[in-house]
Amino acid sequence: MNYRLLALAAGLFATPALAQEAPTKPFTVSGSAALVSDYRFRGVSQTDKHMAVQGGLTVTHETGLYAAVWGSNLAGWGTFGGSNMELDLVGGYKLPVGGATIDAGLTWYMYPGGASNTDFAEPYVKVSSTLGPVTALVGVAYAPKQQALGNYSNTPYSRGQKEDNLYVWGDASMGIPGTPVTAKAHLGYSHGNPGLGPNGTSVTPTGEYLDWLIGADVVLGPVTLGFAYVDTDISKRESAYLQPNFSSTKNGSSIAGSRAIFSVGASF
């Protein structure tokens, strides 16, 4: 579609007052960058409990279609056979329905420089709505059977077969009136294959678990300061089959244990 031609035609037939208005751009571009004390993916550290530098860019069309790219450094458990970087490619569509917004798309998880059979695709559907000061979101992400999600571990169930994965979650946030503070909470449920996955990693390493988060963000102009307490219900007994991979090289503690995480980010 030739948007420049459409804009010209609109200007020819507009009234003088309307003709002076700036034309609406069909595409918008937004981005973000952040420094976090620990990169947790569904409650499990992907940086061996160390810091991570993260950033993303999103292009949105006026119809609701969007495409995004997001990246973070990795270490330890999340290195996917040698990769020190995660690069996510995302495509989707947002549709307002009544007082809610439906967001459906697909995330392609890539690990440049890592071993083969580590990249995987995960479609998702999210529904969000705002009621007064509270914004709530529920989502389902289902990754169909793929080699990257196969069962590679030291458990008796390991056969290297293709596996799928299900993740269901809910998020809630609420701005505190008169302050730049937004309280936030998250609860997620993972169900997939138990084990290490290819080259020492898995989306759901113990087969089934819960992860949760409570915290707050403080917006100071373009900068956001964040705090979160993250934890899972993965017990020492459940993670015993995954050792030594599931322990931090920093102090030997579980990379799925409780931890306070701090972040500083900016968006444009």
Side-chain angles (χ1 to χ4, degrees):
M1 182 178 293
N2 192 327
Y3 294 100
R4 181 175 295 178
L5 182 59
L6 288 177
L8 177 61
L12 291 175
F13 294 98
T15 62
L18 294 176
Q20 295 176 1
E21 296 180 358
T24 302
K25 295 181 180 180
F27 290 95
T28 58
V29 179
S30 59
S32 64
L35 179 66
V36 298
S37 60
D38 185 3
Y39 169 29
R40 291 286 177 121
F41 179 71
R42 298 173 185 175
V44 179
S45 178
Q46 304 290 286
T47 49
D48 199 25
K49 292 188 171 182
H50 289 82
M51 295 174 60
V53 178
Q54 303 173 338
L57 189 68
T58 301
V59 178
T60 304
H61 188 259
E62 60 186 359
T63 60
L65 291 170
Y66 64 88
V69 59
W70 182 89
S72 175
N73 62 283
L74 302 173
W77 173 263
T79 54
F80 287 73
S83 175
N84 60 3
M85 178 184 182
E86 174 186 333
L87 184 64
D88 300 344
L89 303 181
V90 185
Y93 177 69
K94 288 185 177 181
L95 176 66
V97 178
T101 298
I102 299 175
D103 182 355
L106 181 143
T107 302
W108 180 257
Y109 295 90
M110 301 174 60
Y111 304 92
S116 61
N117 299 332
T118 53
D119 299 354
F120 68 96
E122 185 181 64
Y124 60 84
V125 177
K126 298 182 286 186
V127 180
S128 60
S129 183
T130 299
L131 180 61
V134 178
T135 298
L137 178 150
V138 292
V140 177
Y142 176 73
K145 289 187 176 182
Q146 298 165 74
Q147 279 191 317
L149 304 176
N151 195 329
Y152 297 77
S153 69
N154 55 355
T155 73
Y157 308 104
S158 177
R159 297 187 299 276
Q161 73 277 20
K162 294 181 179 180
E163 294 287 353
D164 59 359
N165 194 87
L166 172 69
Y167 187 65
V168 182
W169 77 98
D171 296 332
S173 63
M174 182 181 70
I176 299 177
T179 75
V181 179
T182 299
K184 58 185 180 181
H186 162 87
L187 176 64
Y189 168 76
S190 295
H191 187 276
N193 68 290
L196 299 176
N199 304 291
T201 192
S202 177
V203 180
T204 309
T206 57
E208 184 178 21
Y209 74 96
L210 296 172
D211 72 276
W212 57 87
L213 172 155
I214 56 173
D217 292 330
V218 181
V219 179
L220 303 173
V223 177
T224 299
L225 304 178
F227 166 79
Y229 178 83
V230 182
D231 201 1
T232 73
D233 68 345
I234 296 176
S235 65
K236 291 182 179 179
R237 180 177 180 180
E238 289 176 313
S239 62
Y241 290 106
L242 307 173
Q243 302 301 345
N245 303 66
F246 216 62
S247 291
S248 170
T249 59
K250 187 176 182 179
N251 54 18
S253 61
S254 171
I255 58 173
S258 60
R259 186 172 178 84
I261 297 176
F262 301 90
S263 65
V264 56
S267 58
F268 62 89

